[in-house]
Amino acid sequence: MTPMLFTLRNALFVLAFAWVSSVCSAQVSSDSEDIRVEAELTRSSVYVGDEVSYSVAVYNAINPEQPVVEFPEGVKAIFHGRSSQSFTSMQYENGRRRSVTQRSYIFQYTLTAVVEGEVAIPAPSVKENGKVYTGNATSFRSLLPSESPDDELIVNIERTQLYLNETIEVECEWLIGDNTSEFNFSSSSVPESFQIRALPAPGNFHQIEFPLNGRPIIGYVTSQTQSGRQLSKFTFRFTITPTELGTYELGPLRTIFTRQSGTGSRYRAYAESDTTTIEVIPVPSDRRPDEYNGAIGEFELESRASNSRVHVGDPIGLTLRIRGQEPMTGVQDAPDLESIPSFAEHFKIDSEGWRESLPRREGVREYSTTIRALSDRVDEIPAIGLASFDPILGEYRVYQTSPIPLSVQAVREVTLADAIVSSGTQSTQSAERRSVEKVELTTAAPGLWAHGTADELMKSDGFDLAGTIQKPAWIATIATPPSLYLAAIVIATYRRNRDPEALTLRRAFAAARKYRGVDSLQCYLARALDINQDAVVASDVTLLPVDEPTRQALHSRLIEAEHPGISPNADPTECQRLLRSMHEQCLRAAKGGER
Amino acid sequence: MNHSCLFRIILAIVSISCCLTNAQDHSSTLTEALDKLSLGIERLEAQDQGAEAIIAEAASELANAIDEQEVQSSGAYHALGNAYTLLGEHGYAMIAFRRGEQINPRDPRIQDSLSYVRDQIQIQVEPNIPNRVRAALISWRGLIPRSILWWSFISLFTLGWAILILRICARQLPSLRPLAITCLALACIPFAALGYEWSLDQGKPGVVVLYEINAMSGPDDAIYTPVYAEPLSAGVEGTLREVRDDWARLSLIDGTACWVPLDAISRINPPT
């Protein structure tokens, strides 16, 4: 017996151990859904300038950050955002059902190789909850197609020595050899410190938009004869603005395109321009105005006042508009009016300064502020100047607005406006009263409320129309009143039909209502007394249990009917009234008799 | 007492105890989920890195508990929506809060939370005139309790029929019929309001649950072009109009329609 018990105990122990192990392993397997990062390229080889899609998929993460990828120098990468996919499945664990959602996040990039050769993309790393997960490295081959002998790319620039932040125009002409499509300038070389901006193309030509150094450029197609051949010419213009000092190589600008030859074959080819060396030098410090703030180029300044006739202390809306060539470097803000003596002496200037009107328009900056004349001796709003360096003349210039004539009248009473205006000038004579800054109360924005307890959560609240209507108690509640009404109708009808005399009178009344005038009275009498309608005479009225006035009236009507010459047309309304009165009295008498 | 009677009593006791145990189990499951949510919030406030995992687990448990136990309280969906909001899952949070709103639209927690989540959604869609009219027709829902409307309907309905019955019993009161008709007509107003609100919920309101979904003009992203320049973000609300293959046609409240992948949206009232 003892060995048997020992064996049984061992078997139970083994079973328990196996169960615990299986539960633990299931738990471990469910928890071990590790975060996985996978990088993928859609193509293994592309031509220089062509695009290849690069995606980084992050599996089993909740909210991963954007991957960190050290793209090599010869690759331009554009991030297209994150998308997510989820897959929900039901799983049974220890007999309990639970829904499991597996989610993957995909970060999408477009890569453009700008150099020839093998492009190796290092492994991306993704941060999730402070932990860094690394994916796989990828690579693709960037190929340069054959150079086209039939095409020519020419870059024209006015000067090659530029001042820092100077904006200069560049024109590029592409003489196209033959039928061409699917071109790009993605592998063109433009220094990173150069800002590029598109210039508008003439509207009367076929326009084509394409990206250059990440900026949209608009070109146009014209025709040109060269060596007796009619060629298409694609021209585009843009501006460059160097933002760092030094010597840079602009170009080569390179176009890679698909050429369709006369035989119908299609192939990729490229054409490129010569390289232009550009020297970027600083603006001279000699004779630089004090108010110079980095502006370079030509500007137009225009000022407007909201009113030209004011009292001392009245607010005057002042607007300043500056026009120039984008990017308008050095025009971060309008000139400081406090630094202009003619303004500081004669005007109180809004402490908030200039406010820029947004959104900006191309080549325009507009600012507004409020000024108040301090005395009635002020007769104009002075000119506002902007110091700028002219790169063509090589000297500084101050562009100015025109003064605005102003008529200021003195005020007799001291107003609040005067107090504000004069507070700065008279603060030495009167003690300044300080007060704390006032803050208006605003309603707090809605936020998240704390959740309740489990008992509160278990309580059903609200009202469910569909559920309520389906409850038997409510069905009974709704059905009962109409049912009772029907029952009342049935009972009333039954009770009405139970008295044959009353029933005869009602039928007589119903039949009499089909007639008009005296005929209705005769019909009622005939039916009520059970005689032929033609045999009804005036004396039959005496057989009805009606009061004396009604009897007299009925008798008169019937006599008139028996002798048509007296009154051929009895009043129908009067007859109707008599009929109703007679019927009600008869019914009452019948019910009284019944009782 | 014979054996049969004793057996029935024992069976009844066992059944009752099973029910009580089940109820306690349900309550304990919810309690555990809520405790986990509270813990996650504490960790989140302490900027603990594992906080989101705990909240995600709490959200999963809450969702399972609500589904399995068929909990019908706005508080439960409010807690679930809170968990999703803290996880940044605005789509699922919107669904939870909208379900809570369907149960009890007067719950201030739900109203504030819905406003909060709608503020967090980057895509703003302005309702068109028909949707503004629909919203106006159910504008009472946050002010007048449904139970009051229901009792108004029952009272007026019963009163109307009672007057009609009284009119039959007492024929000397001929002016009662207009009064009865008036009562019955008035009873239709609260009932129609309740019915209209219920019918709106029975439509197919849906919410985008995935991030940055391109809305296409047809049910294929390889053939059709995007409808909007910006991708739809999680939490954008609409109405499911049609399902074709793995794509769903969604009408937004501005009246425009688009196709999105079926797994990108979730219905507020999933078919049972």
Side-chain angles (χ1 to χ4, degrees):
Chain A
M1 204 58 188
T2 308
M4 197 173 168
L5 270 175
F6 182 73
T7 311
L8 190 64
R9 195 177 296 164
N10 274 354
L12 282 172
F13 176 75
V14 168
L15 279 172
F17 180 76
W19 180 76
V20 168
S21 302
S22 66
V23 168
C24 289
S25 63
Q27 186 66 33
V28 167
S29 68
S30 66
D31 291 344
S32 64
E33 288 175 349
D34 290 337
I35 293 174
R36 202 168 78 248
V37 180
E38 289 181 9
E40 193 181 17
L41 282 161
T42 53
R43 295 162 74 181
S44 59
S45 63
V46 291
Y47 283 117
V48 174
D50 286 356
E51 291 179 344
V52 57
S53 290
Y54 175 70
S55 60
V56 179
V58 186
Y59 297 94
N60 302 324
I62 293 171
N63 189 19
E65 295 178 10
Q66 186 182 339
V68 177
V69 192
E70 299 287 339
F71 290 108
E73 279 190 3
V75 167
K76 290 177 183 172
I78 299 172
F79 180 54
H80 291 292
R82 185 179 81 168
S83 63
S84 64
Q85 293 178 341
S86 66
F87 174 71
T88 303
S89 62
M90 301 306 292
Q91 289 187 1
Y92 285 88
E93 187 180 299
N94 302 330
R96 294 190 64 181
R97 192 182 69 161
R98 63 191 282 250
S99 65
V100 176
T101 301
Q102 289 184 331
R103 171 162 293 185
S104 61
Y105 290 88
I106 297 166
F107 298 86
Q108 200 75 38
Y109 298 81
T110 300
L111 306 185
T112 308
V114 294
V115 293
E116 187 185 8
E118 184 79 14
V119 178
I121 302 165
S125 58
V126 178
K127 212 171 179 183
E128 161 83 356
N129 285 334
K131 290 177 77 175
V132 177
Y133 302 90
T134 307
N136 54 304
T138 48
S139 67
F140 67 97
R141 190 159 182 76
S142 169
L143 308 168
L144 193 64
S146 58
E147 186 170 4
S148 169
D150 303 327
D151 294 70
E152 195 176 355
L153 204 62
I154 304 159
V155 172
N156 300 314
I157 185 165
E158 197 178 329
R159 286 182 289 116
T160 55
Q161 191 183 52
L162 306 178
Y163 290 100
L164 186 69
N165 290 328
E166 178 188 353
T167 299
I168 192 163
E169 195 176 312
V170 179
E171 186 183 64
C172 183
E173 293 176 336
W174 173 17
L175 292 166
I176 302 171
D178 209 337
N179 289 335
T180 303
S181 60
E182 297 168 354
F183 76 91
N184 66 67
F185 279 85
S186 303
S187 58
S188 298
S189 175
V190 179
E192 281 186 10
S193 63
F194 282 22
Q195 288 182 7
I196 288 183
R197 282 180 175 269
L199 285 171
N204 49 347
F205 295 106
H206 174 53
Q207 297 185 353
I208 301 170
E209 186 177 315
F210 66 95
L212 175 66
N213 223 31
R215 306 282 299 190
I217 304 288
I218 301 168
Y220 58 99
V221 182
T222 55
S223 295
Q224 182 176 320
T225 306
Q226 191 176 39
S227 305
R229 286 178 64 199
Q230 186 78 14
L231 294 176
S232 294
K233 186 171 76 172
F234 181 66
T235 310
F236 57 92
R237 296 183 308 131
F238 58 95
T239 61
I240 54 169
T241 308
T243 58
E244 288 177 16
L245 297 171
T247 304
Y248 300 93
E249 299 287 333
L250 175 64
L253 297 188
R254 182 190 291 146
T255 172
I256 297 176
F257 51 86
T258 299
R259 172 61 40 84
Q260 188 167 5
S261 67
T263 58
S265 64
R266 289 163 61 90
Y267 59 91
R268 296 287 277 174
Y270 80 91
E272 65 181 18
S273 70
D274 294 334
T275 304
T276 308
T277 304
I278 291 179
E279 187 187 2
V280 183
I281 57 173
V283 291
S285 56
D286 186 28
R287 286 187 288 173
R288 180 186 295 176
D290 293 339
E291 66 269 26
Y292 180 69
N293 202 23
I296 187 164
E298 290 186 2
F299 294 94
E300 275 180 36
L301 271 72
E302 182 193 347
S303 63
R304 287 196 320 271
S306 60
N307 36 3
S308 57
R309 296 174 67 85
V310 293
H311 290 87
V312 171
D314 283 352
I316 306 167
L318 181 63
T319 305
L320 174 67
R321 183 178 291 166
I322 305 173
R323 294 177 193 273
Q325 191 177 28
E326 292 288 356
M328 294 179 73
T329 312
V331 191
Q332 287 84 9
D333 200 358
D336 182 16
L337 295 182
E338 296 281 6
S339 65
I340 302 173
S342 51
F343 267 99
E345 286 171 14
H346 300 116
F347 291 91
K348 174 70 181 177
I349 299 157
D350 190 338
S351 59
E352 292 182 3
W354 291 102
R355 295 175 298 278
E356 186 177 355
S357 304
L358 297 174
R360 287 177 175 173
R361 284 187 291 151
E362 180 80 9
V364 178
R365 301 287 185 275
E366 194 169 286
Y367 305 92
S368 58
T369 189
T370 305
I371 57 173
R372 298 164 196 264
L374 293 173
S375 75
D376 57 348
R377 293 188 301 277
V378 176
D379 58 357
E380 68 171 20
I381 298 174
I384 305 168
L386 174 70
S388 171
F389 180 75
D390 188 331
I392 296 168
L393 298 175
E395 60 184 27
Y396 290 95
R397 290 180 62 185
V398 177
Y399 297 92
Q400 286 192 322
T401 63
S402 302
I404 302 170
L406 191 67
S407 168
V408 183
Q409 294 179 1
V411 286
R412 291 179 182 176
E413 294 178 4
V414 177
T415 63
L416 183 61
D418 296 326
I420 293 167
V421 167
S422 59
S423 62
T425 55
Q426 297 179 1
S427 58
T428 51
Q429 296 175 6
S430 60
E432 188 178 354
R433 189 172 66 185
R434 291 191 171 193
S435 64
V436 294
E437 192 177 348
K438 305 293 183 189
V439 176
E440 281 187 21
L441 287 175
T442 50
T443 311
L448 294 176
W449 288 45
H451 55 79
T453 61
D455 291 337
E456 287 171 1
L457 266 58
M458 290 293 287
K459 283 179 194 166
S460 292
D461 56 352
F463 176 87
D464 178 23
L465 180 66
T468 305
I469 284 179
Q470 288 169 9
K471 284 179 183 168
W474 285 114
I475 292 172
T477 307
I478 293 169
T480 301
S483 306
L484 287 175
Y485 178 70
L486 286 174
I489 286 176
V490 170
I491 291 167
T493 308
Y494 171 75
R495 287 183 62 183
R496 203 179 294 164
N497 294 343
R498 206 175 56 177
D499 180 8
E501 194 177 347
L503 185 63
T504 305
L505 289 171
R506 280 197 197 91
R507 285 177 180 167
F509 183 67
R513 288 179 70 179
K514 293 175 186 169
Y515 293 92
R516 288 174 60 79
V518 180
D519 289 344
S520 64
L521 302 175
Q522 287 174 336
C523 176
Y524 187 84
L525 277 168
R527 296 289 182 104
L529 299 174
D530 196 20
I531 54 177
N532 194 308
Q533 191 173 337
D534 296 333
V536 172
V537 293
S539 58
D540 290 338
V541 176
T542 55
L543 299 174
L544 291 178
V546 293
D547 57 14
E548 196 54 34
T550 307
R551 185 176 290 127
Q552 288 292 332
L554 280 169
H555 192 267
S556 304
R557 295 290 87 76
L558 289 170
I559 286 291
E560 287 165 6
E562 286 169 11
H563 301 88
I566 300 171
S567 176
N569 296 319
D571 182 10
T573 314
E574 172 67 13
C575 291
Q576 285 287 327
R577 192 188 61 75
L578 275 173
L579 175 66
R580 186 172 292 281
S581 174
M582 172 172 60
H583 175 62
E584 284 173 0
Q585 290 181 49
C586 290
L587 264 184
R588 215 173 295 135
K591 284 182 182 174
E594 187 187 4
R595 275 187 217 109
Chain B
M1 191 180 288
N2 56 18
H3 290 305
S4 172
C5 189
L6 189 65
F7 177 72
R8 283 177 189 172
I9 290 169
I10 292 169
L11 197 63
I13 291 169
V14 168
S15 301
I16 291 165
S17 62
C18 281
C19 288
L20 287 173
T21 310
N22 199 22
Q24 284 169 357
D25 185 41
H26 289 173
S27 181
S28 66
T29 311
L30 269 176
T31 308
E32 283 171 19
L34 290 175
D35 289 345
K36 203 166 277 182
L37 180 57
S38 301
L39 178 67
I41 292 168
E42 280 177 21
R43 294 268 182 93
L44 198 67
E45 286 169 349
Q47 298 183 339
D48 190 338
Q49 291 174 350
E52 288 194 348
I54 297 171
I55 295 172
E57 209 173 327
S60 176
E61 287 179 13
L62 266 172
N64 283 331
I66 288 171
D67 284 347
E68 287 171 7
Q69 297 160 30
E70 296 180 352
V71 177
Q72 286 298 316
S73 74
S74 57
Y77 283 107
H78 171 251
L80 180 63
N82 272 1
Y84 282 131
T85 307
L86 293 170
L87 290 171
E89 296 279 2
H90 292 133
Y92 290 106
M94 180 70 78
I95 289 171
F97 290 138
R98 287 280 301 268
R99 283 185 190 158
E101 188 192 32
Q102 285 180 0
I103 293 169
N104 185 2
R106 294 183 70 248
D107 189 336
R109 298 173 298 182
I110 294 285
Q111 286 181 345
D112 277 2
S113 302
L114 258 179
S115 299
Y116 176 79
V117 173
R118 281 178 178 142
D119 286 346
Q120 301 302 307
I121 295 163
Q122 292 172 344
I123 302 289
Q124 187 177 0
V125 188
E126 291 295 329
N128 61 354
I129 293 172
N131 278 310
R132 282 179 200 273
V133 171
R134 281 189 201 107
L137 284 174
I138 55 165
S139 56
W140 55 266
R141 70 190 314 202
L143 307 169
I144 307 170
R146 288 178 185 145
S147 54
I148 285 184
L149 287 179
W150 175 251
W151 279 107
S152 303
F153 160 68
I154 289 292
S155 307
L156 289 165
F157 181 80
T158 310
L159 183 64
W161 286 107
I163 292 170
L164 284 176
I165 294 166
L166 184 67
R167 182 177 163 274
I168 289 173
C169 297
R171 297 184 66 83
Q172 291 83 358
L173 301 170
S175 60
L176 285 179
R177 184 191 273 187
L179 185 63
I181 291 170
T182 306
C183 285
L184 290 175
L186 287 174
C188 292
I189 295 172
F191 190 74
L194 285 170
Y196 182 68
E197 187 208 13
W198 177 82
S199 70
L200 285 184
D201 290 342
Q202 299 316 301
K204 293 179 179 175
V207 174
V208 175
V209 291
L210 297 190
Y211 294 95
E212 292 166 357
I213 295 299
N214 279 328
M216 313 305 289
S217 56
D220 195 323
D221 55 357
I223 299 171
Y224 297 98
T225 53
V227 178
Y228 315 108
E230 299 80 15
L232 296 183
S233 56
V236 171
E237 299 163 88
T239 306
L240 190 66
R241 298 291 182 200
E242 186 184 349
V243 173
R244 203 182 296 172
D245 298 331
D246 290 334
W247 288 78
R249 193 161 74 91
L250 193 68
S251 283
L252 303 189
I253 55 170
D254 63 354
T256 58
C258 58
W259 289 85
V260 293
L262 193 57
D263 61 353
I265 62 165
S266 187
R267 283 177 61 174
I268 292 172
N269 301 306
T272 51

